[in-house]
């Protein structure tokens, strides 16, 4: 096999591989552009936002209920007449050893 034929074959094979790779990259870029251009369904987006809004509102209501219960318990504890006297711990005694 002559050197010219060998070199021509090598260039042809490498060129084909590079061309196919570039074609795949170009097709992928076109696919990505097409995917970005497809509009999001407005109705679907509105429904999703409505579900998020309902979840936030229900969470706020639950937090308000918890805080109201906390205030109520704090008021009950503060208004107790016969509050439990906490036993104070005796002071530690240092013994010589």
């Amino acid at each position: 096999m002559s050197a010219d034929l060998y070199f021509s074959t090598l260039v042809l094979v490498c060129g084909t591989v590079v061309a196919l790779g570039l074609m795949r990259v170009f097709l992928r870029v076109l696919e990505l552009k097409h995917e970005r251009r497809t509009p999001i369904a407005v109705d679907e987006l509105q429904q999703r936002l409505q579900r998020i809004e309902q979840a936030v509102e229900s969470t706020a209501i639950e937090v308000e209920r918890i805080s109201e219960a906390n205030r109520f318990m704090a008021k009950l504890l503060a208004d107790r007449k016969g509050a439990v006297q906490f036993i104070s711990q005796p002071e530690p005694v240092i013994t010589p050893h």
Side-chain angles (χ1 to χ4, degrees):
M1 195 187 256
S2 69
D4 291 335
L5 182 61
Y6 178 72
F7 183 72
S8 299
T9 306
L10 183 65
V11 168
L12 182 65
V13 169
C14 290
T16 303
V17 170
V18 169
L20 288 175
L22 288 175
M23 285 176 51
R24 287 186 68 188
V25 168
F26 181 70
L27 288 175
R28 183 66 181 149
V29 167
L30 288 178
E31 288 175 2
L32 290 176
K33 280 185 179 181
H34 179 69
E35 287 176 6
R36 278 190 237 141
R37 288 185 182 170
T38 55
I40 298 173
V42 175
D43 293 332
E44 180 182 327
L45 186 60
Q46 284 180 335
Q47 291 173 356
R48 187 174 182 190
L49 287 174
Q50 187 175 17
R51 287 192 307 264
I52 291 171
E53 183 179 339
Q54 289 174 352
V56 169
E57 286 177 1
S58 64
T59 303
I61 290 170
E62 291 300 319
V63 167
E64 182 62 31
R65 286 180 184 170
I66 291 170
S67 64
E68 187 64 34
N70 192 14
R71 281 189 291 245
F72 179 73
M73 290 301 294
K75 183 179 177 185
L76 283 180
L77 289 174
D79 291 346
R80 277 172 89 176
K81 298 260 181 190
V84 177
Q85 297 291 332
F86 292 105
I87 301 172
S88 62
Q89 294 185 3
E91 293 184 27
V93 179
I94 300 175
T95 57
H97 288 339

